[in-house]
Amino acid sequence: MDFSVHINICLALFIKVLGCSFLLVLFIHGYDWSNIYLQRQNYFSIMESFMDKWFSKKQQRKLNDLPKYMPLQPYRCIHIDELTTLSNINELIRTAASTTKFTLFYSNVYLEENDYIHLELIQNSFSLMVSIRRSLEYPPDVLEQIQQLFNIIMDSSNRVYIWGNINNMVSILEKYEFFYRDMSHPINYINIQKQFKQWYNNTFIHHHYCQQQLKFNTIDGPLCSCSYRPLKSINEEWEINQAIGYTFGEYLYHDTIDNIISKHIFSAISTLAIVIEQQWTREQVQNYIQAHINLRQIRGKY
Protein backbone atom coordinates (compact mmCIF):
# COMPACT_ATOMS: atom_id res chain seq x y z
CA MET A 1 0.00 0.00 0.00
CA ASP A 2 1.22 3.48 -0.87
CA PHE A 3 2.71 5.42 2.09
CA SER A 4 0.33 8.35 1.55
CA VAL A 5 -2.63 5.96 1.90
CA HIS A 6 -1.26 4.81 5.28
CA ILE A 7 -1.03 8.45 6.37
CA ASN A 8 -4.63 9.17 5.35
CA ILE A 9 -5.98 6.07 7.13
CA CYS A 10 -4.05 6.89 10.29
CA LEU A 11 -5.31 10.46 10.20
CA ALA A 12 -8.92 9.32 9.90
CA LEU A 13 -8.52 6.85 12.81
CA PHE A 14 -6.83 9.51 14.93
CA ILE A 15 -9.72 11.93 14.39
CA LYS A 16 -12.31 9.30 15.34
CA VAL A 17 -10.39 8.35 18.53
CA LEU A 18 -10.00 12.02 19.39
CA GLY A 19 -13.74 12.51 18.93
CA CYS A 20 -14.58 9.66 21.29
CA SER A 21 -12.16 11.06 23.87
CA PHE A 22 -13.82 14.44 23.51
CA LEU A 23 -17.23 12.96 24.33
CA LEU A 24 -15.80 11.03 27.31
CA VAL A 25 -14.37 14.25 28.77
CA LEU A 26 -17.76 15.90 28.42
CA PHE A 27 -19.38 13.04 30.33
CA ILE A 28 -16.78 13.01 33.13
CA HIS A 29 -17.14 16.73 33.71
CA GLY A 30 -20.88 16.48 34.09
CA TYR A 31 -22.09 18.00 30.83
CA ASP A 32 -25.82 17.88 30.32
CA TRP A 33 -26.66 14.83 28.18
CA SER A 34 -29.03 16.95 26.10
CA ASN A 35 -26.04 19.04 24.96
CA ILE A 36 -23.69 16.17 24.20
CA TYR A 37 -25.20 15.41 20.78
CA LEU A 38 -24.89 19.06 19.79
CA GLN A 39 -21.28 19.17 21.03
CA ARG A 40 -20.55 16.01 19.05
CA GLN A 41 -22.05 17.51 15.90
CA ASN A 42 -20.02 20.70 16.29
CA TYR A 43 -16.81 18.74 16.83
CA PHE A 44 -17.27 16.44 13.85
CA SER A 45 -18.35 19.26 11.55
CA ILE A 46 -15.07 21.05 12.30
CA MET A 47 -13.02 17.89 11.79
CA GLU A 48 -14.94 16.92 8.66
CA SER A 49 -14.19 20.32 7.18
CA PHE A 50 -10.51 19.82 8.02
CA MET A 51 -10.49 16.37 6.43
CA ASP A 52 -12.19 17.69 3.28
CA LYS A 53 -9.44 20.27 2.87
CA TRP A 54 -6.75 17.64 3.57
CA PHE A 55 -8.08 15.09 1.11
CA SER A 56 -8.86 17.69 -1.54
CA LYS A 57 -5.22 18.78 -1.49
CA LYS A 58 -3.85 15.24 -1.42
CA GLN A 59 -6.23 13.28 -3.59
CA GLN A 60 -8.48 15.46 -5.76
CA ARG A 61 -7.12 16.06 -9.22
CA LYS A 62 -7.79 19.12 -11.30
CA LEU A 63 -10.38 18.67 -14.02
CA ASN A 64 -7.76 18.80 -16.76
CA ASP A 65 -5.90 15.88 -15.13
CA LEU A 66 -8.91 13.62 -15.63
CA PRO A 67 -9.21 11.26 -18.62
CA LYS A 68 -10.82 12.86 -21.65
CA TYR A 69 -14.57 12.78 -22.04
CA MET A 70 -15.97 9.91 -24.11
CA PRO A 71 -19.31 10.47 -25.92
CA LEU A 72 -22.09 8.12 -24.87
CA GLN A 73 -22.73 6.91 -28.43
CA PRO A 74 -20.98 7.10 -31.82
CA TYR A 75 -21.62 10.03 -34.14
CA ARG A 76 -21.26 11.13 -37.75
CA CYS A 77 -20.26 14.69 -38.63
CA ILE A 78 -21.83 16.95 -41.26
CA HIS A 79 -20.49 20.36 -42.23
CA ILE A 80 -22.64 23.10 -43.78
CA ASP A 81 -21.29 26.33 -45.22
CA GLU A 82 -21.86 28.64 -48.19
CA LEU A 83 -20.65 25.97 -50.65
CA THR A 84 -22.89 23.14 -49.40
CA THR A 85 -25.13 21.59 -52.05
CA LEU A 86 -28.91 21.48 -51.73
CA SER A 87 -28.94 17.69 -51.94
CA ASN A 88 -26.89 17.41 -48.73
CA ILE A 89 -29.22 19.71 -46.83
CA ASN A 90 -32.29 17.95 -48.20
CA GLU A 91 -30.99 14.66 -46.83
CA LEU A 92 -30.50 16.31 -43.44
CA ILE A 93 -34.04 17.75 -43.55
CA ARG A 94 -35.48 14.27 -44.18
CA THR A 95 -33.56 12.90 -41.19
CA ALA A 96 -34.65 15.81 -38.97
CA ALA A 97 -38.29 15.22 -39.90
CA SER A 98 -38.13 11.73 -38.35
CA THR A 99 -36.13 12.88 -35.29
CA THR A 100 -37.70 14.09 -32.04
CA LYS A 101 -34.66 14.97 -29.90
CA PHE A 102 -32.06 17.61 -30.71
CA THR A 103 -29.25 19.48 -29.00
CA LEU A 104 -28.28 23.05 -29.89
CA PHE A 105 -25.04 24.75 -28.90
CA TYR A 106 -22.92 27.69 -29.95
CA SER A 107 -19.79 29.17 -28.45
CA ASN A 108 -20.06 32.70 -27.09
CA VAL A 109 -16.27 32.98 -27.47
CA TYR A 110 -15.64 34.22 -30.99
CA LEU A 111 -12.96 32.34 -32.89
CA GLU A 112 -12.87 32.22 -36.68
CA GLU A 113 -12.46 28.44 -36.67
CA ASN A 114 -15.45 28.09 -34.36
CA ASP A 115 -17.86 30.45 -36.06
CA TYR A 116 -20.55 27.76 -36.15
CA ILE A 117 -23.89 26.82 -34.72
CA HIS A 118 -23.79 23.20 -33.64
CA LEU A 119 -26.73 20.87 -33.91
CA GLU A 120 -27.12 17.26 -32.82
CA LEU A 121 -29.81 14.97 -34.22
CA ILE A 122 -30.14 12.26 -31.58
CA GLN A 123 -30.95 8.83 -33.03
CA ASN A 124 -31.43 5.54 -31.19
CA SER A 125 -27.90 4.20 -31.67
CA PHE A 126 -25.89 7.17 -32.99
CA SER A 127 -26.01 10.93 -33.47
CA LEU A 128 -25.62 13.27 -36.41
CA MET A 129 -23.36 16.19 -35.42
CA VAL A 130 -24.05 19.14 -37.72
CA SER A 131 -21.91 22.28 -37.81
CA ILE A 132 -23.56 25.19 -39.63
CA ARG A 133 -21.30 28.11 -40.40
CA ARG A 134 -22.56 31.46 -39.13
CA SER A 135 -22.69 33.59 -42.25
CA LEU A 136 -24.85 36.17 -44.03
CA GLU A 137 -23.48 35.09 -47.42
CA TYR A 138 -25.54 31.94 -48.08
CA PRO A 139 -27.15 31.65 -51.51
CA PRO A 140 -30.92 32.25 -51.23
CA ASP A 141 -31.87 28.65 -52.04
CA VAL A 142 -29.40 27.25 -49.45
CA LEU A 143 -30.59 29.74 -46.81
CA GLU A 144 -34.19 28.71 -47.49
CA GLN A 145 -33.28 25.06 -46.83
CA ILE A 146 -31.48 25.95 -43.59
CA GLN A 147 -34.58 27.85 -42.47
CA GLN A 148 -36.72 24.82 -43.26
CA LEU A 149 -34.37 22.65 -41.21
CA PHE A 150 -34.64 24.87 -38.14
CA ASN A 151 -38.41 25.19 -38.48
CA ILE A 152 -38.60 21.40 -38.23
CA ILE A 153 -36.24 21.29 -35.25
CA MET A 154 -38.07 24.04 -33.35
CA ASP A 155 -41.48 22.42 -33.77
CA SER A 156 -43.21 22.15 -30.39
CA SER A 157 -43.58 18.38 -30.78
CA ASN A 158 -39.79 17.97 -30.49
CA ARG A 159 -37.40 18.26 -27.54
CA VAL A 160 -34.54 20.71 -27.89
CA TYR A 161 -31.76 20.40 -25.31
CA ILE A 162 -29.69 23.49 -24.54
CA TRP A 163 -27.23 24.59 -21.86
CA GLY A 164 -28.37 27.98 -20.62
CA ASN A 165 -30.86 30.55 -21.94
CA ILE A 166 -32.94 29.72 -25.02
CA ASN A 167 -33.26 33.44 -25.83
CA ASN A 168 -29.52 33.68 -26.50
CA MET A 169 -29.72 30.81 -28.96
CA VAL A 170 -32.77 32.24 -30.75
CA SER A 171 -31.06 35.65 -31.02
CA ILE A 172 -28.10 34.05 -32.82
CA LEU A 173 -30.38 32.13 -35.19
CA GLU A 174 -32.34 35.29 -35.98
CA LYS A 175 -29.17 37.31 -36.52
CA TYR A 176 -28.16 35.00 -39.37
CA GLU A 177 -31.75 34.62 -40.63
CA PHE A 178 -31.77 30.87 -39.93
CA PHE A 179 -34.92 31.00 -37.83
CA TYR A 180 -37.57 33.49 -36.72
CA ARG A 181 -39.43 32.84 -33.50
CA ASP A 182 -43.20 32.67 -33.64
CA MET A 183 -44.53 33.43 -30.17
CA SER A 184 -47.77 31.61 -30.98
CA HIS A 185 -45.75 28.37 -31.37
CA PRO A 186 -43.58 27.92 -28.26
CA ILE A 187 -40.32 26.01 -28.47
CA ASN A 188 -40.22 22.84 -26.39
CA TYR A 189 -36.73 23.41 -25.02
CA ILE A 190 -35.12 21.86 -21.94
CA ASN A 191 -32.43 23.81 -20.11
CA ILE A 192 -30.12 20.97 -19.06
CA GLN A 193 -27.94 23.38 -17.05
CA LYS A 194 -30.84 24.12 -14.71
CA GLN A 195 -32.16 20.56 -14.51
CA PHE A 196 -28.69 19.13 -13.95
CA LYS A 197 -28.25 21.25 -10.83
CA GLN A 198 -31.48 19.87 -9.36
CA TRP A 199 -30.60 16.26 -10.22
CA TYR A 200 -27.02 16.50 -8.93
CA ASN A 201 -28.00 18.09 -5.63
CA ASN A 202 -30.70 15.48 -5.04
CA THR A 203 -28.37 12.62 -5.96
CA PHE A 204 -25.16 13.80 -4.27
CA ILE A 205 -26.55 15.25 -1.06
CA HIS A 206 -24.48 16.97 1.63
CA HIS A 207 -22.47 14.62 3.83
CA HIS A 208 -23.75 13.96 7.33
CA TYR A 209 -21.52 16.47 9.12
CA CYS A 210 -21.77 19.27 6.58
CA GLN A 211 -23.07 22.48 8.17
CA GLN A 212 -25.19 23.19 5.10
CA GLN A 213 -26.93 19.85 5.57
CA LEU A 214 -28.18 20.99 8.98
CA LYS A 215 -30.14 23.80 7.32
CA PHE A 216 -31.05 22.50 3.85
CA ASN A 217 -30.45 18.98 2.63
CA THR A 218 -29.96 19.66 -1.08
CA ILE A 219 -29.32 23.30 -1.98
CA ASP A 220 -25.89 24.88 -2.36
CA GLY A 221 -24.70 27.31 0.30
CA PRO A 222 -21.66 29.00 1.86
CA LEU A 223 -21.64 26.59 4.81
CA CYS A 224 -21.09 23.58 2.54
CA SER A 225 -17.81 21.73 3.13
CA CYS A 226 -18.48 18.88 0.66
CA SER A 227 -15.54 18.59 -1.74
CA TYR A 228 -17.75 16.85 -4.33
CA ARG A 229 -20.12 19.86 -4.47
CA PRO A 230 -18.15 22.77 -5.99
CA LEU A 231 -21.00 25.31 -5.95
CA LYS A 232 -21.16 27.23 -2.67
CA SER A 233 -24.02 29.60 -3.46
CA ILE A 234 -27.65 29.01 -4.39
CA ASN A 235 -27.21 31.40 -7.33
CA GLU A 236 -24.13 29.70 -8.82
CA GLU A 237 -24.57 27.75 -12.05
CA TRP A 238 -22.70 24.70 -13.29
CA GLU A 239 -20.31 24.97 -16.21
CA ILE A 240 -20.64 22.05 -18.61
CA ASN A 241 -17.04 20.92 -18.01
CA GLN A 242 -17.64 20.97 -14.24
CA ALA A 243 -20.77 18.86 -14.65
CA ILE A 244 -18.94 16.19 -16.65
CA GLY A 245 -15.88 16.26 -14.38
CA TYR A 246 -17.70 15.93 -11.07
CA THR A 247 -20.29 13.45 -12.34
CA PHE A 248 -18.25 11.12 -14.53
CA GLY A 249 -14.64 11.91 -13.63
CA GLU A 250 -13.89 12.94 -17.22
CA TYR A 251 -12.37 16.09 -18.68
CA LEU A 252 -14.35 18.10 -21.22
CA TYR A 253 -11.85 20.55 -22.64
CA HIS A 254 -13.41 23.83 -23.75
CA ASP A 255 -11.09 26.70 -22.87
CA THR A 256 -10.18 27.28 -26.52
CA ILE A 257 -13.02 25.71 -28.42
CA ASP A 258 -12.53 24.30 -31.90
CA ASN A 259 -14.98 22.46 -34.10
CA ILE A 260 -14.22 18.97 -32.74
CA ILE A 261 -14.33 20.03 -29.10
CA SER A 262 -17.65 21.80 -29.64
CA LYS A 263 -19.12 18.50 -30.84
CA HIS A 264 -18.04 16.92 -27.58
CA ILE A 265 -19.70 19.72 -25.65
CA PHE A 266 -23.17 19.21 -27.09
CA SER A 267 -22.65 15.46 -26.94
CA ALA A 268 -22.04 16.02 -23.22
CA ILE A 269 -25.27 18.02 -22.98
CA SER A 270 -27.27 15.17 -24.52
CA THR A 271 -25.52 12.64 -22.25
CA LEU A 272 -26.55 14.63 -19.19
CA ALA A 273 -30.07 14.88 -20.62
CA ILE A 274 -30.29 11.08 -20.60
CA VAL A 275 -29.01 10.94 -17.02
CA ILE A 276 -31.63 13.48 -15.91
CA GLU A 277 -34.57 12.02 -17.82
CA GLN A 278 -33.83 8.52 -16.55
CA GLN A 279 -33.04 9.86 -13.05
CA TRP A 280 -29.81 7.92 -12.67
CA THR A 281 -28.78 6.88 -9.18
CA ARG A 282 -25.28 7.12 -7.73
CA GLU A 283 -24.88 3.41 -8.49
CA GLN A 284 -25.73 3.93 -12.16
CA VAL A 285 -23.24 6.80 -12.37
CA GLN A 286 -20.57 4.56 -10.84
CA ASN A 287 -21.38 1.79 -13.33
CA TYR A 288 -20.97 4.29 -16.18
CA ILE A 289 -17.59 5.38 -14.82
CA GLN A 290 -16.41 1.79 -14.42
CA ALA A 291 -17.54 0.88 -17.95
CA HIS A 292 -15.45 3.74 -19.37
CA ILE A 293 -12.47 2.74 -17.25
CA ASN A 294 -12.72 -0.80 -18.64
CA LEU A 295 -13.04 0.53 -22.19
CA ARG A 296 -9.93 2.68 -21.82
CA GLN A 297 -7.99 -0.31 -20.51
CA ILE A 298 -9.08 -2.40 -23.50
CA ARG A 299 -8.13 0.34 -25.95
CA GLY A 300 -4.80 0.73 -24.22
CA LYS A 301 -3.90 -2.87 -25.09
CA TYR A 302 -4.22 -2.27 -28.83
Side-chain angles (χ1 to χ4, degrees):
M1 187 182 296
D2 187 82
F3 178 73
S4 62
V5 177
H6 282 293
I7 292 294
N8 291 337
I9 293 174
C10 291
L11 177 63
L13 291 174
F14 170 74
I15 289 173
K16 289 185 178 295
V17 171
L18 189 61
C20 294
S21 302
F22 174 78
L23 293 177
L24 182 60
V25 170
L26 289 177
F27 175 75
I28 292 173
H29 286 273
Y31 269 70
D32 184 359
W33 275 101
S34 63
N35 290 328
I36 287 182
Y37 177 77
L38 180 60
Q39 296 286 348
R40 176 181 179 274
Q41 291 292 90
N42 289 339
Y43 165 79
F44 276 110
S45 65
I46 293 171
M47 299 312 294
E48 190 76 28
S49 177
F50 166 75
M51 289 185 71
D52 262 353
K53 292 178 181 178
W54 169 270
F55 285 111
S56 66
K57 289 179 181 179
K58 294 292 183 180
Q59 293 182 340
Q60 281 194 322
R61 295 179 295 177
K62 294 180 180 179
L63 290 178
N64 57 8
D65 291 330
L66 296 171
K68 290 183 179 180
Y69 166 74
M70 294 173 58
L72 188 62
Q73 60 184 20
Y75 58 85
R76 181 164 65 90
C77 299
I78 298 175
H79 179 92
I80 294 178
D81 60 21
E82 299 89 335
L83 301 178
T84 300
T85 62
L86 288 177
S87 60
N88 288 339
I89 303 180
N90 282 329
E91 181 184 353
L92 191 57
I93 288 173
R94 287 193 293 270
T95 304
S98 61
T99 303
T100 59
K101 294 181 179 180
F102 304 86
T103 302
L104 280 176
F105 170 80
Y106 76 98
S107 172
N108 54 13
V109 178
Y110 178 80
L111 295 170
E112 184 176 355
E113 64 270 22
N114 189 51
D115 194 18
Y116 291 86
I117 292 170
H118 300 284
L119 164 67
E120 179 183 18
L121 283 68
I122 304 172
Q123 311 295 302
N124 290 331
S125 57
F126 74 100
S127 289
L128 287 178
M129 304 290 198
V130 184
S131 297
I132 304 175
R133 184 169 180 81
R134 289 188 264 183
S135 171
L136 294 171
E137 304 298 327
Y138 280 98
D141 53 352
V142 174
L143 178 60
E144 184 179 347
Q145 294 295 79
I146 294 176
Q147 291 170 344
Q148 184 179 345
L149 173 64
F150 277 106
N151 283 332
I152 292 172
I153 292 167
M154 297 300 194
D155 188 89
S156 59
S157 63
N158 295 326
R159 291 184 183 181
V160 179
Y161 302 122
I162 62 168
W163 188 268
N165 192 326
I166 186 63
N167 293 327
N168 296 337
M169 174 58 70
V170 171
S171 294
I172 290 293
L173 294 176
E174 290 181 340
K175 177 181 178 180
Y176 295 98
E177 303 179 357
F178 293 162
F179 174 77
Y180 292 100
R181 189 170 193 173
D182 182 352
M183 299 306 294
S184 64
H185 295 85
I187 303 169
N188 183 19
Y189 75 94
I190 300 174
N191 184 351
I192 298 302
Q193 184 184 42
K194 181 178 180 180
Q195 292 204 0
F196 172 79
K197 184 174 183 177
Q198 297 171 348
W199 170 81
Y200 190 92
N201 286 355
N202 288 329
T203 305
F204 299 91
I205 61 175
H206 297 285
H207 59 61
H208 186 64
Y209 298 114
C210 176
Q211 287 290 334
Q212 191 68 32
Q213 188 267 350
L214 300 177
K215 294 182 177 293
F216 305 98
N217 194 38
T218 59
I219 69 170
D220 303 304
L223 298 178
C224 176
S225 60
C226 305
S227 58
Y228 51 87
R229 294 180 59 133
L231 306 190
K232 305 303 179 185
S233 168
I234 193 173
N235 296 319
E236 277 189 271
E237 298 292 348
W238 284 85
E239 297 289 341
I240 183 65
N241 63 325
Q242 277 185 316
I244 293 297
Y246 279 85
T247 305
F248 301 127
E250 295 180 333
Y251 178 47
L252 183 68
Y253 182 77
H254 81 315
D255 290 336
T256 304
I257 303 176
D258 61 24
N259 222 14
I260 295 176
I261 294 167
S262 294
K263 293 181 178 65
H264 283 180
I265 288 177
F266 62 86
S267 168
I269 295 171
S270 58
T271 296
L272 293 176
I274 292 173
V275 170
I276 293 165
E277 289 179 350
Q278 296 180 0
Q279 286 296 294
W280 281 20
T281 63
R282 296 180 72 157
E283 182 181 2
Q284 286 174 294
V285 172
Q286 188 56 49
N287 290 341
Y288 176 99
I289 294 172
Q290 188 58 53
H292 277 206
I293 290 174
N294 295 341
L295 184 57
R296 288 188 183 92
Q297 291 175 343
I298 292 172
R299 288 179 175 178
K301 294 178 182 178
Y302 297 98

